[in-house]
Amino acid sequence: MPDLPDRYQPLPAEELLALDRQHVWHPYGPMPGRQEPMVVASASGVRLHLAAPVHGQQELVDGMSSWWSAIHGYNHPVLNEAVTTQLGRMSHVMFGGLTHEPAVRLAAKLVEITPAGLEHVFLSDSGSVSVEVGIKMCLQYWRSVGQPAKTRLLTWRGGYHGDTWQPMSVCDPEGGMHEMWSGALPQQVFADAPPGGYDAPVDPAYVAHLREVMARHAGELAAVIVEPVVQNAGGMRFHNPGYLRVLRELCDEYGLLLVLDEIATGFGRTGTLFAADHAGITPDVLCVGKALTGGYLTMAATLCTSRVADGISQGEVPVLAHGPTFMGNPLAASVALASIELLLGQDWAQEVKRIETGLRDGLAAAAEVPGVRDVRVLGGIGVVQLDHDVNMAAATAAAVREGVWLRPFRDLVYTMPPFVTSDRDLARICRAVCAAAREG
Ligand SMILES: *Cc1c(COP(=O)(O)O)cnc(C)c1O
């Protein structure tokens, strides 16, 4: 690249890794990290192109969609165009006192495609912040309508809602990433984890348990917050959508708001556009993120009903006091809009079905692997659960040798590939999951 300034000349991978080790903190890691990360030089379609070969592989098929987000794959011409077109107009302006077309159109689109009744959209910069905002909305709603004692949250165990303070307080308090903070976090109310299995019938004993917990705490509870249908980072568990209908009814009966965290499940991943659609319910508050921008830029949104918005806006402090600096970022909003239109402009449900079938076929073999406890697939999500904690280094290496990028955790080897993954690449991902389960 002769005409570009020095900072565009690629550093040798060795040097980059040395600087990384010295200075750069990675997710959920110590400083310096114990496992050397792989250097990605570029990405296109479903492939990550490495700066230097690892286990003989120069490129890896991405089985993770960059943590659920890159549903259309990388370097997509339509999404690139959305960003570059917007870049020529403006990359950002503050959102206080100003507005712009990308944010307005995105908000209107989100209202159109999410369950009926969600009318108002608060844009923010990450999933965790959208959960913070959703929780703030619920607490403020009750304060505004004269019930300030309703400040706690009810959730079921096995959940994950992000890494900032309030979201951490509703993550599973045991075995998860935030266990050490249990004494320091707001004390929330936990019900048992929902019984596993999308197809397992609704268990009346569990419903009675939910009712009992809710009844006992109703006076102090502002809201129930759960991940609908799929609990992801808390253990990759699926449950019957019937439990969401139960929660909706119980929340109405006991005077609680219902928050659905669809940051992972939104935009088709579970086979319906939103996981709430499996149950046909509307929550009072809905959080989306991750695939919102097709994995291009960081943005999340919190939607709420008019009841919640009116309650807040007619209260003693009639404003929602939240306003991230990069709220409504035009680049992110533009690419989000393009990503949603790209998704809806194709038979996305058929594509997710195709991925589901490919995962079912390809992962069936994993059930025979010694040490495998369970294999489960829903929509574009495939999970192999082991009877032991996975050896991350060995499992990752096994996948890389198959030419695939996976990021196992705890006792789980799992994949949620981009929706554009071909059948051939999907089969490869499945072989890699099986190899990782065998060697991890
Ligand atoms: C990833 C995730 C979050 C947190 O989103 P960030 O963008 O990482 O802050 C919250 N809830 C769920 C269900 C998630 O999957």
Side-chain angles (χ1 to χ4, degrees):
M1 286 179 270
D3 298 332
L4 291 172
D6 275 358
R7 68 175 174 282
Y8 293 106
Q9 304 298 337
L11 286 180
E14 293 290 288
E15 192 179 332
L16 213 127
L17 283 170
L19 288 171
D20 184 280
R21 195 176 159 71
Q22 209 174 347
H23 300 300
V24 184
W25 220 303
H26 283 270
Y28 310 110
M31 191 70 240
R34 288 195 198 99
Q35 250 180 283
E36 188 164 271
M38 284 175 266
V39 183
V40 180
S42 64
S44 57
V46 300
R47 284 175 161 70
L48 310 178
H49 307 282
L50 302 179
V54 178
H55 297 301
Q57 305 288 345
Q58 186 75 56
E59 53 179 41
L60 300 177
V61 174
D62 180 14
M64 303 304 288
S65 298
S66 283
W67 275 334
W68 312 82
S69 64
I71 52 176
H72 306 298
Y74 302 92
N75 221 333
H76 194 290
V78 171
L79 303 185
N80 287 4
E81 186 189 32
V83 178
T84 49
T85 303
Q86 183 56 41
L87 189 61
R89 294 176 182 154
M90 64 184 170
S91 55
H92 186 66
V93 289
M94 64 185 281
F95 212 48
L98 302 176
T99 196
H100 48 76
E101 187 166 336
V104 174
R105 288 181 62 175
L106 174 62
K109 178 61 83 178
L110 287 172
V111 167
E112 182 193 320
I113 65 173
T114 51
L118 296 163
E119 295 288 338
H120 312 288
V121 184
F122 191 100
L123 297 170
S124 59
D125 16 33
S126 76
S128 300
V129 174
S130 77
V131 173
E132 298 277 2
V133 170
I135 293 172
K136 191 186 273 190
M137 282 176 175
C138 293
L139 267 60
Q140 190 171 341
Y141 170 82
W142 291 115
R143 179 166 289 266
S144 296
V145 300
Q147 298 209 53
K150 289 169 80 68
T151 57
R152 294 180 78 191
L153 301 165
L154 169 63
T155 187
W156 49 36
R157 286 176 185 270
Y160 173 79
H161 298 282
D163 299 335
T164 60
W165 213 247
Q166 282 286 351
M168 276 204 294
S169 76
V170 283
C171 290
D172 193 319
E174 278 166 38
M177 293 177 283
H178 305 316
E179 198 171 347
M180 67 181 288
W181 296 113
S182 56
L185 291 168
Q187 297 294 300
Q188 312 294 12
V189 179
F190 288 89
D192 295 344
Y198 181 87
D199 294 317
V202 169
D203 176 4
Y206 183 73
V207 173
H209 166 68
L210 285 178
R211 174 184 288 280
E212 187 273 319
V213 176
M214 215 182 277
R216 185 149 37 97
H217 294 280
E220 51 176 348
L221 286 173
V224 170
I225 177 168
V226 296
E227 295 158 278
V229 183
V230 177
Q231 295 182 292
N232 70 90
M236 302 298 301
R237 299 169 80 247
F238 311 150
H239 56 257
N240 187 320
Y243 293 116
L244 302 172
R245 285 190 287 274
V246 166
L247 283 180
R248 180 69 278 178
E249 284 163 21
L250 290 175
C251 281
D252 291 344
E253 190 179 333
Y254 288 99
L256 272 63
L257 299 172
L258 177 62
V259 182
L260 293 186
D261 177 348
E262 294 237 21
I263 292 166
T265 52
F267 306 101
R269 181 54 70 181
T270 68
T272 52
L273 197 52
F274 293 92
D277 300 335
H278 286 279
I281 61 157
T282 297
D284 301 285
V285 173
L286 178 81
C287 298
V288 295
K290 289 200 162 102
L292 172 61
T293 65
Y296 264 56
L297 284 159
T298 175
M299 179 175 258
T302 311
L303 287 88
C304 74
T305 59
S306 292
R307 172 191 169 204
V308 172
D310 291 350
I312 291 170
S313 307
Q314 290 160 17
E316 195 182 332
V317 180
V319 298
L320 184 67
H322 213 101
T325 305
F326 288 99
M327 184 167 179
N329 177 260
L331 288 176
S334 294
V335 74
L337 202 54
S339 175
I340 292 170
E341 284 175 0
L342 192 58
L343 183 67
L344 300 183
Q346 56 177 310
D347 191 350
W348 61 269
Q350 179 53 40
E351 286 307 295
V352 176
K353 192 93 216 146
R354 178 181 64 79
I355 303 269
E356 176 169 331
T357 305
L359 291 174
R360 277 190 206 287
D361 292 349
L363 296 183
E368 309 305 320
V369 172
V372 168
R373 171 181 295 175
D374 189 38
V375 179
R376 48 188 182 264
V377 172
L378 181 70
I381 309 167
V383 183
V384 174
Q385 185 170 13
L386 309 178
D387 61 12
H388 55 275
D389 274 355
V390 64
N391 175 336
M392 276 259 276
T396 306
V400 169
R401 281 193 295 270
E402 296 286 338
V404 173
W405 169 239
L406 296 175
R407 182 78 174 156
F409 75 104
R410 280 163 54 178
D411 55 352
L412 302 162
V413 182
Y414 69 115
T415 178
M416 53 288 188
F419 298 163
V420 295
T421 308
S422 69
D423 291 342
R424 203 187 149 93
D425 285 336
L426 201 55
R428 191 168 184 169
I429 289 173
C430 291
R431 282 199 300 277
V433 171
C434 293
R438 207 176 304 115
E439 291 172 43

